[in-house]
């Protein structure tokens, strides 16, 4: 909202950076002020001064402050919250916590934790008259509204209570992981955060490159020192500062990408951690009998010297990243602005400068600024393709401006993103070049029908389940339970196959090379999309359950599966499945064919178990010698006659 204010005031184009730097500069000055004031309040003026020095000499912190991200604002607001908390100034405390909650989701978590501390303090002191003043009530009301407002806005705008960024990044919203797997990854992330805050070489090869070694340990000692100090309400103050930080680190650990962008999610907490770490160092010196605090002074000087050598590298990082945006993202946007026709839409995977400088409607494939693509993207390219197919033709993107390395199948293996028009190379990382493709919608919907040879005379398709199409899965109560591997190696296989092997051999018996001979021939005859089917499915190591409808009770039904082996490690693939219908065991289903081409097979469901217009199907993977899984892409169910 503050950036939008600058835009409204006339800071546009590259001039918007000037406004962003003005905001960052004000936040930076506020950080220094509150760091000093907190150090003086909690420990001593000396600690406040040295905390300012350590924050200033941190190249990592300066990089985040001037990056244009919300780090500077969030860090300044966090320090202001802690300052007003220690000063027991309730109205400005709750007002600032409200802004903190609006700045980032973690701000709401901190605000909730501190509110409980404040209420416990007020109740113990019986200080309700001061707290319940008009300004106090106004500040608390603003804070409470700010905590829930983002959820309300998300629900009103998108129908989801969580923001797109959380849906795209949080373990809690993973469409594949089980609850146990989410817990396991959360513990791994929490361990990684702890190691990072300790300055472990695992995350910081050069001491002080990101954070000073031992920071977390010393910060813990500093918090304990506050609790054991002589100041009034020392336990309350230590808990009010320390426990919200622990809570927010636990929350950050739910992000699969917690370490992304040079650990930017942890960056705003560095001033608080350094302040507590210096308090811990001083407490250690006191326990060692150093009343002159010479040890503390030596420690601060050493920490400063360790931090300074990293400054040039972070300056270089900032320059490199700025050049990358200018030469790649901005130039891509300019090319699109000059070469797109009016009304053309663009699918993108990086919604920063590309979206800001671009003058075209866009679809964010990752889902950060577009609804309903975050979960499909997390399913993989197969799930994303199924989602893109559902977009009405009038709203489909004609172009895709993406990193090819992020979409190896859509952009390279298959020609959904085809005919590359232009490539803008990353000056520092070749794997992050940006390429503009035309989007090929020729195959959209071609996978929805079984091949004519599978349907017997008189059969009618009564219902269809498109596996990996999230809407189709939801409407058919589809559930998958994988077993064996911790995470299925290919959760959503994505296949483009040139028809069905026997039909192709029958019609073109003399063609052996599909890429060199068959595909050009089919394109020339204008019938490629009748054979070249693009579909997404799931790799099943355990079982899948789904419900099919619109059946005539008492009448035999014919379940059709489309499958394929896309690995090709063996000359023939063999899958063995066990089929249950409405709770009855119906028999085993063996699927065997050559790899790379589609295969469809039929399983008969006797009418005697179909008592209603629905049938609940459960299919278990039994595995074979070479295949511990099977791939399912589509299911149809047919019956004879009209119904």
């Amino acid at each position: 909202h503050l950036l939008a204010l600058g835009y409204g005031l006339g800071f546009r184009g590259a001039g918007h950076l000037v406004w962003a730097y003005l905001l960052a500069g004000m936040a930076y000055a506020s950080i220094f002020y509150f760091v000093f004031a907190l150090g003086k309040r909690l420990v001593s003026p000396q600690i406040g001064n040295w905390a300012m020095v350590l924050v200033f000499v941190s190249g990592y912190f300066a990089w985040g402050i001037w990056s244009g991200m919300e780090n500077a604002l969030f860090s300044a607001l966090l320090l202001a919250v802690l300052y007003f908390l220690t000063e027991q100034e309730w109205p400005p405390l709750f007002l600032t916590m409200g802004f903190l909650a609006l700045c980032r989701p973690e701000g709401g978590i901190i605000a909730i934790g501190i509110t409980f501390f404040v209420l416990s303090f007020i109740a113990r002191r019986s200080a309700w008259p001061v707290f319940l003043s008009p300004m106090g009530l106004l500040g608390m009301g603003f804070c409470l509204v700010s905590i829930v407002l983002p959820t309300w806005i998300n629900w009103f705008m998108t129908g989801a209570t969580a923001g797109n960024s959380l849906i795209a990044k949080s373990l809690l919203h993973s469409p594949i992981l089980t609850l146990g797997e989410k817990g396991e990854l959360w513990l791994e992330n929490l361990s990684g955060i702890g190691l990072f805050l300790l300055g472990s070489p695992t995350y910081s090869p050069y001491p002080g490159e990101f954070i000073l070694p031992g920071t977390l340990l010393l910060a813990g000692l500093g918090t304990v020192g506050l609790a054991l100090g002589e100041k009034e309400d020392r336990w309350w103050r230590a808990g009010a500062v320390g426990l919200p930080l622990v809570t927010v680190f636990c929350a950050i650990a739910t992000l699969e990408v917690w370490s992304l962008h040079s650990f930017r999610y942890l960056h705003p907490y560095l001033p608080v951690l350094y302040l507590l770490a210096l308090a811990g160092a001083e407490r250690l010196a006191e326990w060692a009998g150093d009343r002159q605090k010479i040890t503390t002074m030596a420690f601060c000087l050493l920490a400063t010297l360790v931090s300074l050598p990293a400054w040039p590298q972070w300056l270089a990082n900032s320059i490199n990243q700025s050049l990358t945006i200018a030469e790649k993202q901005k130039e891509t946007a300019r090319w699109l602005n000059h070469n797109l026709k009016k009304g053309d839409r663009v699918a993108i995977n990086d919604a920063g400068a590309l979206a800001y400088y671009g003058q075209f409607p866009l679809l964010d494939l990752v889902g950060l600024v577009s609804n309903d693509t975050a979960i499909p993207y997390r399913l993989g390219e197969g799930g994303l393709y199924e989602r893109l197919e559902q977009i009405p033709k009038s709203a489909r993107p004609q172009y895709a401006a993406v990193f090819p390395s992020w979409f190896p199948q859509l952009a390279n293996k298959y020609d959904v993103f085809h005919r590359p028009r232009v490539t803008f190379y990353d000056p520092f990382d070749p794997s992050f070049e940006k390429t503009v493709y035309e989007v090929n919608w020729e195959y959209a919907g071609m996978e929805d029908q079984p091949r004519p040879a599978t349907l017997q005379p008189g059969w009618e398709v009564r219902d269809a389940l498109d596996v990996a199409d999230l809407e189709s899965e939801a409407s058919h109560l589809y559930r998958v339970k994988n077993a064996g591997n911790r995470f299925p190696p290919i959760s959503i296989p994505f296949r483009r196959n040139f028809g069905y092997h026997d039909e192709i051999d029958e019609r073109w018996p003399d063609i052996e090379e599909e890429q060199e001979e068959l595909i050009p021939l089919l394109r020339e005859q204008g019938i490629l999309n009748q054979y070249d089917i693009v579909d997404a499915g799931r790799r099943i190591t355990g079982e899948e359950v789904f419900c099919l409808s619109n059946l005539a009770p008492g009448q035999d039904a014919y379940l059709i599966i489309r499958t394929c082996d896309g690995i090709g490690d063996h000359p023939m693939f063999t899958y063995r499945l066990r089929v249950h219908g409405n709770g009855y065991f119906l028999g085993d289903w063996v699927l065997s064919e050559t790899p790379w081409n589609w295969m469809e097979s039929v399983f008969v469901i006797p009418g005697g178990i179909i008592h209603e217009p629905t049938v609940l199907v459960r299919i278990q993977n039994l595995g074979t010698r070479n295949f511990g899984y099977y791939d399912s892409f589509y299911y149809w169910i047919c019956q004879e006659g009209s119904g």
Side-chain angles (χ1 to χ4, degrees), residues 167-189:
I167 294 174
K169 301 174 183 177
S170 174
L171 288 170
L172 304 180
H173 294 279
S174 172
I176 296 176
L177 304 179
T178 65
L179 182 61
E181 290 166 345
K182 291 177 183 178
E184 185 178 348
L185 280 179
W186 176 77
L187 290 174
E188 287 182 11
N189 291 347

Side-chain angles (χ1 to χ4, degrees), residues 133-154:
S133 65
M135 290 302 297
L137 290 174
L138 182 63
M140 188 171 184
F142 174 75
C143 179
L144 293 176
V145 169
S146 299
I147 291 172
V148 300
L149 187 61
T151 300
W152 288 350
I153 293 176
N154 278 314

Side-chain angles (χ1 to χ4, degrees), residues 189-377:
N189 291 347
L190 194 60
S191 174
I193 289 173
L195 289 173
F196 171 78
L197 296 179
L198 285 169
S200 168
T202 304
Y203 298 99
S204 182
Y206 174 80
E209 178 184 4
F210 286 97
I211 194 167
L212 291 169
T215 295
L216 182 61
L217 179 61
L218 287 173
L221 288 175
T223 305
V224 172
L226 293 179
L228 299 178
E230 299 176 355
K231 294 183 180 292
E232 191 177 7
D233 296 311
R234 56 189 182 277
W235 283 97
W236 176 81
R237 295 182 189 281
V241 174
L243 290 183
L245 288 181
V246 174
T247 303
V248 83
F249 292 149
C250 290
I252 293 173
T254 64
L255 297 177
E256 287 187 280
V257 293
W258 70 270
S259 61
L260 193 66
H261 300 154
S262 298
F263 309 97
R264 75 178 179 95
Y265 296 107
L266 299 171
H267 174 275
Y269 306 100
L270 188 141
V272 180
L273 289 167
Y274 276 4
L275 180 61
L276 291 174
L278 290 178
E282 183 160 286
R283 180 63 63 173
L284 281 176
E286 291 178 358
W287 288 341
D290 182 7
R291 299 300 177 183
Q292 302 300 319
K293 301 180 180 178
I294 297 176
T295 307
T296 305
M297 181 79 69
F299 172 82
C300 293
L301 285 171
L302 178 62
T304 302
L305 293 174
V306 169
S307 294
L308 276 175
W311 245 97
Q313 181 59 50
W314 284 106
L315 179 61
N317 291 345
S318 184
I319 294 172
N320 292 351
Q321 290 156 1
S322 298
L323 286 172
T324 296
I325 291 173
E327 296 183 14
K328 182 176 65 177
Q329 306 285 42
K330 186 177 177 180
E331 290 304 313
T332 301
R334 284 180 169 176
W335 187 93
L336 291 167
N337 291 341
H338 286 94
N339 289 276
L340 264 61
K341 301 187 299 292
K342 185 178 180 180
D344 283 347
R345 296 173 178 269
V346 183
I348 65 171
N349 71 285
D350 218 9
L354 180 60
Y356 176 73
Y357 287 104
Q359 300 170 5
F360 41 80
L362 60 86
L363 171 71
D364 184 0
L365 298 174
V366 180
L368 297 182
V369 298
S370 296
N371 296 330
D372 303 326
T373 55
I375 292 296
Y377 174 78

Side-chain angles (χ1 to χ4, degrees), residues 50 141 192 340 416-417 476 483:
W50 277 112
L340 264 61
V416 176
F417 297 163
H476 292 89

